[in-house]
Amino acid sequence: MVDLNAFRDELRRQGLNAFLVPMDDAHMGEYSPGSERRITALSGFLGSAGFAVVTLDKALIWTDSRYTIAIRLEVDEAVWTIGEIESGGPLASVSGFLKPSEVLGYDPQMHTIGGVESWTQAVAKVEASLQPVSLNPVDAVWRDQPAPPATPVVPHGLEYSGRSSLDKRRALAASLSKQGLGAQVINQSDSVAWLLNARADDIAGLPVPRSFATLHADGAVDWFIRPERITDAMHQALDNRVVIFPPEEMNARLGQLGGRVGLDRTTCNAAIAETLHDAGVEVVANTDPVVLPRAIKNETEQQGARDAQRRDARAMIRFSRWLAEHPAIEQESELSVAAALLAFREQNPDPVPMNGISFNTISAFAGHAAIAHYAVSEDSSLPLAKGQMLLVDSGGQYHNGTTDITRVWAIGGQATDRQRRDYSLTLKGHLALARQAFPTGTMGHHLDVLTRQFMWAEGMDFQHGTGHGIGSYLSVHEGPQGISKKPGKAALQAGMLLSNEPGIYREGESGVRIENVELVVTRDDGFLAFETLTLVPYDRNLIDLSLLTPEEIAQIDAYHARALAEIGPDLDGADLDHLRQTTEPLA
Amino acid sequence: MVDLNAFRDELRRQGLNAFLVPMDDAHMGEYSPGSERRITALSGFLGSAGFAVVTLDKALIWTDSRYTIAIRLEVDEAVWTIGEIESGGPLASVSGFLKPSEVLGYDPQMHTIGGVESWTQAVAKVEASLQPVSLNPVDAVWRDQPAPPATPVVPHGLEYSGRSSLDKRRALAASLSKQGLGAQVINQSDSVAWLLNARADDIAGLPVPRSFATLHADGAVDWFIRPERITDAMHQALDNRVVIFPPEEMNARLGQLGGRVGLDRTTCNAAIAETLHDAGVEVVANTDPVVLPRAIKNETEQQGARDAQRRDARAMIRFSRWLAEHPAIEQESELSVAAALLAFREQNPDPVPMNGISFNTISAFAGHAAIAHYAVSEDSSLPLAKGQMLLVDSGGQYHNGTTDITRVWAIGGQATDRQRRDYSLTLKGHLALARQAFPTGTMGHHLDVLTRQFMWAEGMDFQHGTGHGIGSYLSVHEGPQGISKKPGKAALQAGMLLSNEPGIYREGESGVRIENVELVVTRDDGFLAFETLTLVPYDRNLIDLSLLTPEEIAQIDAYHARALAEIGPDLDGADLDHLRQTTEPLA
């Protein structure tokens, strides 16, 4: 942890009245390693979306609505003022913490180009000034700051990626040439990892090496990463058009770029833009060219996703059996069941390697399940009890695919009418989306209401999106596609993976979320539809048949029959019996 | 009609290589009088969305997908090249009709401020120039151009408007002051009409006087309109803070405005912006402040809308009876049934005056119904025949409300399975929207899929929005709200009127559209919902019960029971019998 007084002394030393502490590191990914969690070091906040501003006498932190409950458990409200990003985040609040002629510092590596532009405008409005720093004041006073991770970099084999790096780069290079660009700087680690078919363990849950790269319009790549991290297998897998440079040479290499250079203003850090600008390189704002091809999984990745989900289903079904048949469930807790699930995932024979979990398991019992991104700890872990619901949102990182699944169980098989109602209304929405076909050109925001329509009728809603994209042994949250109320950035296309995860939350009481992974496929008539990859039964103890239509019951029965047919052959004994029982026709 | 050769001679005389002919007149409304239909005079195109460019050797016209079929019936394709706005309209095609150093003329009165900016950029890209004209070259050679309409201006009484002009202006003036504005120039005739509670008959279907106004931040208004048009009743109704100026004094008055002046870039014509600019008046881009309060109907307007719809339902039910019991339906045609419906609307005793129809009746039989905005004429009018469907989309202008309804009938009561399937899939979507509740903050694009979900499942879609806002004895199409795939401009709010009109179209064969008007209301739990104001039975001959759920059947039966209970008391004899028959429970 960073001592706020020491931090403020450092601000004074640097002549700053305030400093911006975003969640982002220099790569602008959703996840970052401990060495980069400056906002956590300052405030204790553990969530994945937040922004802090520390002045000489104020400490302000904002997060989004997913974390509004969680943050109050993690951050000292006597010191920190907590705000919601949705109701006017830090940009909208500048006049509340900055006076005319004051100096607001920022680390240009930790902000996007677009972000710095927004701050410049906001700060000008209050007649203050924005100043880049060369030494991040958090780092200056963070005594136990971990060293940046430097795990071995290994190849992501063709049997999983389905496409060589050279082939991917040829296609992207053609698109750069078409845009009249000589090169593209790629800032996000998961974009570089996809482009080079490289993986590592720099970040918990996200199996990538943190690195930058420049893709040239002839398909060559300058890869900025410590050379000693590259394993022989990785060297072997890389073609010789990829040249490795140590990170300290990056600025010099960037300065030598000829022609126009593409940068994604929404993901490229401002320090890179400044380096190019200072060297007189012409910059063109565009979209990271990796994003769309990465989202559209090829046949190998699609089959990998199917296989990974089936394997995950085995673990989930065993876990479900263990929960259902537990002789003393009251002796288990949120923490212990998360550990049990991890064991089921790890003890799950399969020729494809597993590399940990894809995000921190949300194991949330009773009222904790209403906290959208609840992070269980020794302090918070609740014991289980019959008559309440357990929500587990989890996933694995397998070399052939990334998984993400949420199931809810009635502990002890007992459920109230209200619990069954919440579950059934959520399930109806989840099923409506899963069965919907749609024309090409459809965006996520066109489909979002399908999961909400039944709960809306009852005066309820949930405050998160319906679904997000998912990587292939990459980030469990991946763009450009998504399903939410916000206008979409990209039309849904065949080969994209999306989660389908509506929920109903009652603060302090309970939470339901049901999540499957859906693959966008093309029907014979040219319309798009979803192939559901997740094959784990819903909890029949929580289904109120009187709320379902015959069509919905048939849809669940068909889904359960698929789970039995496809996962059953890999199970035996009590596990298979459990799968048989939980997939029996409902009516 | 304008002779193209004479027009091109005029272009040469003015030193122009090409000229822009938009659909808009100086008021930027959806509808304009014959004197302003320059695009029609040039090309023959009758639709309400289009844009033409005439060069010395090319004649190009674009329209949107609603008119792609209709335009080919109206425009000579030997002379005109037809394009679709959606697949790159005129702006995207500049390089196809303009060469470097050529001069493209435009009439600044006929383009919005934003429109001129877009054209300036597009023309710069091909290194040509954009030049305003003082004499519109169409007018110069349009020999039989009608005189601009100058119908008597009458007051829209408090019994219909529910709110005095002074009261409306006080509220808007407060909002101008809050924005730091001294005045707002209001460019759209229906905004001025709403603000001043004034009506006239300048435009078929839209009962407004064409006029401009300046609203001052103290609530005073400069109204630019020929003084002799103002009836004594209108003078009497207007408070003395409204001062009338003849249109020729407008530019001088605008030039004298002090303080900052608000203009809506999307609806204000560029000539006004130039006048202010030349006079050194500071202009601020904002949204026409009339738009949102006009859309949120007050209690009086809401009750007026209910009453107008009930009255319209009487006419529609009589028309439906006449169709069903017609002894020789083959002797009727699209034109004759439109005339019959108009007669039913006009011979419909009611204390509230009717002022014609709210738009040209779409009376479309068989394949004509697939043409989204089919305009029937003597040339095109088809005779009716049993076994095909008749689609009639029509509405009335009543002093208490504007109506808009679409119904489809199986002529002779005979329908094929396919016709019943199309009708039933459309009806399912229409019902799903009508019964949906939704939280505050919901936008139209969140709801649009509800009407499409069932036809999407069958691989069909329709190429128009689900619904549009509707005025109160004003335009039948009114913003800012709407329900379509496009991201919305305003959240739906209680008091807004929206049409609910999905359809299924088979080119050359048939068209189904079912349209009711819905009022947004607030439920006890704070969620919003729709109150359906239109009360006209659906055609049971076209309903395939096997495609409906019990919930949908109950919803239709409840709707029909409402129609019988609310409209029945106003009908008698054969009309009442017909209503009874057509509202019997379905199952």
Side-chain angles (χ1 to χ4, degrees):
Chain A
M1 288 288 287
V2 166
D3 177 65
L4 262 188
N5 290 328
F7 179 72
R8 284 176 173 141
D9 287 343
E10 178 65 22
L11 293 190
R12 286 187 199 96
R13 239 187 316 276
Q14 296 200 22
L16 303 173
N17 299 94
F19 191 73
L20 301 178
V21 186
M23 177 62 64
D24 292 308
D25 70 359
H27 297 284
M28 306 295 156
E30 182 177 0
Y31 304 104
S32 50
S35 61
E36 307 297 320
R37 298 274 319 188
R38 293 174 183 82
I39 195 168
T40 308
L42 269 172
S43 71
F45 176 56
L46 294 167
S48 70
F51 200 104
V53 177
V54 178
T55 73
L56 298 178
D57 59 359
K58 291 194 181 81
L60 312 163
I61 188 164
W62 292 262
T63 186
D64 71 26
S65 57
R66 293 175 299 170
Y67 293 103
T68 40
I69 303 177
I71 195 170
R72 292 179 201 286
L73 304 173
E74 295 159 2
V75 165
D76 180 358
E77 289 193 70
V79 175
W80 290 85
T81 305
I82 299 173
E84 251 194 48
I85 286 170
E86 289 90 340
S87 33
L91 274 165
S93 315
V94 173
S95 63
F97 61 77
L98 206 62
K99 294 193 199 69
S101 83
E102 287 190 339
V103 179
L104 175 63
Y106 74 102
D107 182 342
Q109 288 196 74
M110 310 302 161
H111 297 265
T112 62
I113 304 168
V116 170
E117 287 174 5
S118 302
W119 278 106
T120 303
Q121 287 170 18
V123 164
K125 272 193 193 153
V126 296
E127 295 171 10
S129 63
L130 188 69
Q131 185 175 298
V133 301
S134 48
L135 170 64
N136 192 306
V138 179
D139 297 358
V141 295
W142 187 359
R143 298 198 173 194
D144 49 354
Q145 182 173 23
T151 56
V153 180
V154 297
H156 183 52
L158 258 185
E159 67 275 32
Y160 304 128
S161 71
R163 196 173 171 203
S164 73
S165 169
L166 190 60
D167 195 39
K168 292 178 179 179
R169 282 148 41 208
R170 283 234 172 85
L172 294 195
S175 127
L176 293 188
S177 297
K178 218 170 151 185
Q179 295 174 62
L181 298 177
Q184 177 86 27
V185 180
I186 299 176
N187 186 90
Q188 291 206 290
S189 302
D190 52 346
S191 290
V192 178
W194 179 87
L195 189 67
L196 300 178
N197 287 335
R199 297 292 188 271
D201 291 317
D202 283 2
I203 303 167
L206 178 57
V208 300
R210 296 173 71 238
S211 72
F212 300 95
T214 301
L215 171 66
H216 296 268
D218 63 357
V221 163
D222 302 336
W223 190 11
F224 302 105
I225 189 163
R226 297 235 63 79
E228 60 272 23
R229 297 186 56 188
I230 310 298
T231 61
D232 275 354
M234 187 74 231
H235 280 300
Q236 198 69 53
L238 282 175
D239 61 275
N240 69 354
R241 312 248 23 222
V242 178
V243 185
I244 291 161
F245 298 94
E248 57 271 23
E249 290 180 27
M250 181 163 114
N251 284 356
R253 299 288 308 177
L254 291 179
Q256 290 161 23
L257 289 176
R260 302 154 79 221
V261 174
L263 291 186
D264 186 326
R265 289 161 38 86
T266 64
T267 58
C268 187
N269 80 52
I272 289 177
E274 284 173 30
T275 300
L276 291 170
H277 179 263
D278 292 348
V281 177
E282 187 186 353
V283 163
V284 175
N286 65 359
T287 300
D288 178 347
V290 167
V291 172
L292 189 61
R294 183 180 61 197
I296 301 170
K297 271 60 181 173
N298 60 41
E299 292 291 335
T300 303
E301 291 170 320
Q302 290 179 29
Q303 190 53 45
R306 280 188 198 97
D307 294 343
Q309 296 291 347
R310 281 174 197 166
R311 166 196 197 157
D312 220 42
R314 296 202 300 265
M316 285 293 292
I317 291 163
R318 288 196 181 104
F319 175 68
S320 170
R321 199 265 308 156
W322 176 82
L323 274 179
E325 299 177 2
H326 201 294
I329 197 73
E330 297 84 355
Q331 291 169 17
E332 300 292 344
S333 69
E334 292 171 343
L335 269 183
S336 75
V337 301
L341 175 55
L342 178 58
F344 283 112
R345 276 210 169 88
E346 288 177 335
Q347 296 149 18
N348 193 6
D350 194 286
V352 176
M354 172 176 171
N355 185 10
I357 54 181
S358 57
F359 59 98
N360 282 333
T361 297
I362 299 172
S363 172
F365 185 63
H368 280 171
I371 306 171
H373 279 233
Y374 171 64
V376 58
S377 68
E378 289 287 353
D379 286 346
S380 69
S381 180
L382 284 176
L384 302 201
K386 290 184 183 174
Q388 297 272 30
M389 294 183 288
L390 172 70
L391 180 154
V392 181
D393 186 349
S394 67
Q397 284 290 9
Y398 307 104
H399 284 212
N400 54 351
T402 303
T403 66
D404 188 1
I405 176 172
T406 309
R407 284 294 182 274
V408 171
W409 293 270
I411 296 302
Q414 302 162 2
T416 65
D417 285 351
R418 180 151 139 148
Q419 288 166 347
R420 293 161 72 228
R421 187 171 186 80
D422 285 355
Y423 189 90
S424 302
L425 290 172
T426 303
L427 183 58
K428 285 167 76 79
H430 169 89
L431 295 170
L433 177 63
R435 72 171 176 266
Q436 185 67 57
F438 46 93
T440 57
T442 297
M443 315 272 268
H445 66 263
H446 295 138
L447 300 178
D448 182 69
V449 71
L450 294 170
T451 66
R452 302 182 196 267
Q453 56 186 322
F454 305 104
M455 60 181 80
W456 278 5
E458 306 293 324
M460 294 183 287
D461 196 11
F462 57 95
Q463 302 306 321
H464 57 75
T466 286
H468 54 80
I470 296 162
S472 185
Y473 189 40
L474 275 179
S475 179
V476 72
H477 292 164
E478 188 183 270
Q481 79 278 19
I483 301 178
S484 78
K485 292 179 181 177
K486 274 184 270 181
K489 291 183 190 157
L492 303 188
Q493 294 187 49
M496 286 180 169
L497 294 172
L498 283 154
S499 71
N500 169 1
E501 48 177 319
I504 290 181
Y505 308 98
R506 298 185 184 274
E507 191 175 340
E509 182 182 334
S510 65
V512 166
R513 183 163 64 251
I514 303 171
E515 177 184 24
N516 283 347
V517 173
E518 317 277 359
L519 169 67
V520 181
V521 296
T522 305
R523 294 200 310 194
D524 290 344
D525 65 359
F527 267 51
L528 300 171
F530 293 120
E531 175 189 339
T532 299
L533 303 190
T534 307
L535 288 170
V536 177
Y538 307 116
D539 187 353
R540 57 208 296 121
N541 295 314
L542 284 167
I543 296 177
D544 182 343
L545 284 180
S546 74
L547 295 174
L548 302 186
T549 65
E551 183 193 23
E552 288 163 344
I553 292 172
Q555 189 180 350
I556 297 168
D557 285 344
Y559 175 73
H560 282 168
R562 255 190 84 200
L564 180 60
E566 301 191 28
I567 312 301
D570 292 339
L571 296 173
D572 54 21
D575 296 324
L576 181 55
D577 287 345
H578 179 72
L579 178 60
R580 284 206 183 102
Q581 287 158 24
T582 54
T583 57
E584 270 178 20
L586 286 175
Chain B
M1 290 289 286
V2 166
D3 178 66
L4 263 188
N5 289 327
F7 179 72
R8 286 176 170 139
D9 287 343
E10 177 65 24
L11 293 189
R12 286 187 199 97
R13 237 187 317 275
Q14 296 201 22
L16 303 173
N17 298 94
F19 191 74
L20 302 178
V21 187
M23 177 62 63
D24 293 307
D25 70 0
H27 297 285
M28 305 296 156
E30 182 178 0
Y31 305 103
S32 50
S35 61
E36 307 297 318
R37 299 272 323 188
R38 292 173 183 82
I39 196 168
T40 309
L42 269 172
S43 72
F45 175 56
L46 295 167
S48 70
F51 201 105
V53 177
V54 178
T55 73
L56 297 178
D57 60 359
K58 291 193 181 79
L60 312 163
I61 187 164
W62 291 263
T63 186
D64 71 26
S65 55
R66 294 175 300 170
Y67 293 103
T68 40
I69 304 177
I71 194 169
R72 292 180 199 286
L73 304 173
E74 295 159 2
V75 164
D76 180 358
E77 291 193 68
V79 175
W80 290 86
T81 306
I82 298 174
E84 252 194 48
I85 287 172
E86 288 91 340
S87 33
L91 273 165
S93 316
V94 174
S95 64
F97 60 78
L98 206 62
K99 295 194 199 69
S101 82
E102 286 190 338
V103 180
L104 175 63
Y106 74 101
D107 182 340
Q109 288 197 75
M110 311 301 160
H111 298 264
T112 63
I113 303 167
V116 170
E117 286 173 6
S118 302
W119 277 105
T120 302
Q121 287 169 18
V123 164
K125 271 193 195 154
V126 296
E127 294 170 11
S129 63
L130 188 68
Q131 186 175 299
V133 301
S134 49
L135 170 64
N136 192 306
V138 179
D139 298 359
V141 296
W142 188 0
R143 299 198 173 196
D144 50 354
Q145 183 174 22
T151 56
V153 181
V154 297
H156 184 52
L158 258 186
E159 68 275 31
Y160 304 127
S161 71
R163 195 172 172 202
S164 73
S165 170
L166 190 61
D167 194 40
K168 292 178 178 179
R169 280 148 42 209
R170 284 233 173 85
L172 293 194
S175 126
L176 293 188
S177 296
K178 218 170 150 186
Q179 295 175 62
L181 299 176
Q184 177 86 27
V185 180
I186 300 177
N187 186 90
Q188 291 204 289
S189 301
D190 50 347
S191 290
V192 178
W194 180 88
L195 188 67
L196 300 178
N197 288 334
R199 296 294 187 272
D201 291 317
D202 283 4
I203 303 166
L206 177 57
V208 300
R210 295 174 71 237
S211 70
F212 300 95
T214 301
L215 171 65
H216 295 268
D218 63 358
V221 162
D222 302 337
W223 191 10
F224 302 105
I225 189 163
R226 296 235 63 78
E228 61 273 21
R229 297 186 56 188
I230 311 298
T231 61
D232 276 354
M234 188 74 231
H235 280 300
Q236 197 69 53
L238 282 175
D239 62 276
N240 70 353
R241 312 244 28 220
V242 179
V243 185
I244 291 161
F245 297 93
E248 57 271 23
E249 290 181 26
M250 180 162 113
N251 284 355
R253 299 288 309 177
L254 291 180
Q256 291 160 21
L257 289 176
R260 301 152 81 222
V261 174
L263 290 185
D264 187 328
R265 289 160 40 84
T266 63
T267 57
C268 187
N269 80 53
I272 289 176
E274 284 174 28
T275 299
L276 291 170
H277 179 263
D278 293 347
V281 177
E282 188 188 350
V283 163
V284 175
N286 65 358
T287 299
D288 178 346
V290 167
V291 171
L292 190 60
R294 184 180 61 198
I296 301 171
K297 272 59 181 174
N298 61 40
E299 292 291 335
T300 304
E301 290 169 322
Q302 290 179 29
Q303 190 54 45
R306 281 188 196 96
D307 293 343
Q309 296 291 346
R310 280 172 196 166
R311 167 197 197 156
D312 219 43
R314 296 201 299 267
M316 285 293 291
I317 292 163
R318 288 196 181 104
F319 175 67
S320 170
R321 199 267 307 157
W322 175 82
L323 273 180
E325 298 177 2
H326 200 296
I329 198 71
E330 297 83 357
Q331 289 170 19
E332 302 292 343
S333 68
E334 292 171 343
L335 268 183
S336 75
V337 300
L341 174 56
L342 178 59
F344 282 111
R345 276 209 169 87
E346 288 177 335
Q347 297 149 19
N348 192 8
D350 193 285
V352 177
M354 171 176 171
N355 185 9
I357 54 180
S358 56
F359 58 98
N360 282 333
T361 297
I362 299 172
S363 172
F365 185 64
H368 279 172
I371 306 171
H373 279 232
Y374 170 64
V376 57
S377 67
E378 290 287 353
D379 286 347
S380 68
S381 180
L382 285 175
L384 303 201
K386 292 182 181 175
Q388 297 271 30
M389 294 183 289
L390 172 69
L391 180 155
V392 181
D393 186 349
S394 68
Q397 284 289 9
Y398 308 104
H399 284 212
N400 53 351
T402 302
T403 67
D404 188 1
I405 175 172
T406 309
R407 284 294 182 273
V408 171
W409 293 269
I411 296 301
Q414 303 162 1
T416 65
D417 286 349
R418 177 149 141 149
Q419 289 165 346
R420 292 162 71 228
R421 186 171 187 82
D422 285 355
Y423 189 90
S424 301
L425 289 172
T426 303
L427 183 58
K428 284 167 76 79
H430 169 90
L431 296 171
L433 178 63
R435 72 171 175 266
Q436 185 68 56
F438 46 93
T440 57
T442 298
M443 315 273 268
H445 65 264
H446 297 138
L447 300 178
D448 183 67
V449 70
L450 294 170
T451 65
R452 301 181 198 268
Q453 56 186 323
F454 306 103
M455 60 182 79
W456 278 5
E458 306 293 324
M460 294 184 286
D461 195 13
F462 57 95
Q463 303 305 321
H464 57 75
T466 286
H468 54 80
I470 297 162
S472 185
Y473 189 40
L474 275 178
S475 179
V476 73
H477 292 164
E478 189 183 271
Q481 79 278 19
I483 301 178
S484 79
K485 292 180 182 178
K486 273 185 271 182
K489 290 182 192 160
L492 304 189
Q493 294 186 50
M496 286 179 167
L497 294 172
L498 283 154
S499 71
N500 169 1
E501 48 178 318
I504 290 180
Y505 308 98
R506 298 184 184 275
E507 190 174 341
E509 183 182 333
S510 65
V512 165
R513 183 164 63 251
I514 303 172
E515 178 185 23
N516 284 347
V517 172
E518 318 276 359
L519 170 67
V520 181
V521 295
T522 305
R523 294 199 310 193
D524 289 344
D525 66 358
F527 267 52
L528 300 171
F530 293 120
E531 174 189 339
T532 299
L533 303 190
T534 307
L535 289 170
V536 176
Y538 306 116
D539 187 353
R540 57 206 299 121
N541 295 314
L542 284 167
I543 295 176
D544 182 343
L545 285 179
S546 74
L547 295 175
L548 302 187
T549 65
E551 182 194 22
E552 289 162 344
I553 292 172
Q555 188 181 351
I556 297 168
D557 285 344
Y559 175 74
H560 282 168
R562 255 191 85 200
L564 180 61
E566 300 191 28
I567 313 300
D570 293 339
L571 297 174
D572 54 20
D575 296 324
L576 181 55
D577 288 345
H578 179 71
L579 178 58
R580 284 207 182 100
Q581 289 159 22
T582 54
T583 57
E584 270 177 18
L586 285 176

